[in-house]
Amino acid sequence: MTDAGGFVALDAAPRLSEQERLLRQLADMLNLPISVFRRRRVDPPAEGPTARECAAILAAFSRIRDPEARRRCLAMVERCTDT
């Protein structure tokens, strides 16, 4: 069962490790199957974020309650991109 934000209700779900819970939430937020995060790559990518980094930044961003602070955070991240 998920709440309105798409997060698994901890009391309704089987006991999951923190990592498993975060991966499931990340997969739900991105509308991807969780298996995407479990595939082993033969050659790790030379550039780009890891799944752990993506999960960490999404988890931190989701805790920002102030809409203006979220806007500033997103703008700062976008300024850091190469594109």
Side-chain angles (χ1 to χ4, degrees), residues 41 44-51 53-54 82:
R41 293 187 172 138
E47 295 182 35
T50 64
E53 289 168 328
C54 290
D82 295 331

Side-chain angles (χ1 to χ4, degrees), residues 57-78:
I57 201 165
L58 281 173
F61 187 80
S62 70
R63 290 190 304 267
I64 302 172
R65 297 290 175 223
D66 178 40
E68 179 59 23
R70 283 193 306 268
R71 187 193 65 72
R72 287 191 318 266
C73 179
L74 184 57
M76 188 266 315
V77 171
E78 288 175 339

Side-chain angles (χ1 to χ4, degrees), residues 7 15-16 21 25 32 45 49 52 57 62 64 67 75 78-79 81:
F7 292 95
R15 295 284 180 212
L16 302 173
R21 188 178 64 78
Q25 288 178 355
L32 293 170
R52 182 179 296 240
I57 201 165
S62 70
I64 302 172
E78 288 175 339
R79 285 192 305 271
T81 65

